[in-house]
Amino acid sequence: MRKSVIAGNWKMFKLVSDAVNTALALKPLVTNVNHCEIAIAPPYTSIKPVADRLEGSNIKVGAQNISTEIKHGPHTGEVCGDMIKDAGATYVIVGHSERRSMYGETDAIVNKKIRAALYFNLTPIVCIGEKLEERDAGNAQAVVTSQLERSLTELTASDLVRIIAAYEPVWAIGTGRTATPDQAQQMHVFIRQWLSSTFDKSTADSLRILYGGSVKPENISDLMRQPDIDGALVGGASLEAESFARIVDYDR
């Protein structure tokens, strides 16, 4: 039985005080939740203070990015995985479409970041997904296949069980337009089938695949009723404690 994961990506929002206040407001709202794992990914500057205040709670903390490097050195602006872990994070988002489109991250870079996360025993949430023009051209599955092949190259089945995947159709991120539950389920099934043929069925069946893209309190329950959707990577709706708590405590 795959345990669901609801993760909030705060992106480049919230000063330290805002992040701490949001985390403290969220904590009592989800204290009795045990049907899913809960995680929030604040900006680097807030990981430590947020993690400190959530210590002992059922809310885990993640980072939004990680360096490809596993040794400290002259890499100005980069943050090594052990620094992320030392600050209190246990998850890290890798390959988000904004990193790919705005900052030129390739599948090869994503692969290195996955390896770096695993090296430091962080759980990478690996993002994949097609653009609108790619879906409209009928190439959605081909694009996702290419991302999977290149991002997961040379990883083993034992590596894969330490990873969480997140299908995020780029056309649904921050647009208010969400893939229908059927559309999301179809792609999740396709991803799981690809993993089964590339690794093995047992590994594919155990891997958790999240959906991301304009997830809101109003649509989370319909999405979570799909058998191959194992949670959500939430953007804007995770910025407010009450909104995110409603997503976490979806109708089952």
Side-chain angles (χ1 to χ4, degrees), residues 27 50-57 59:
K27 188 176 177 180
V50 166
D52 284 348
R53 285 159 179 82
L54 293 178
E55 187 174 1
S57 77
I59 307 172

Side-chain angles (χ1 to χ4, degrees), residues 202-213:
S202 176
T203 299
D205 286 345
S206 67
L207 184 102
R208 291 174 290 182
I209 307 174
L210 315 185
Y211 170 78

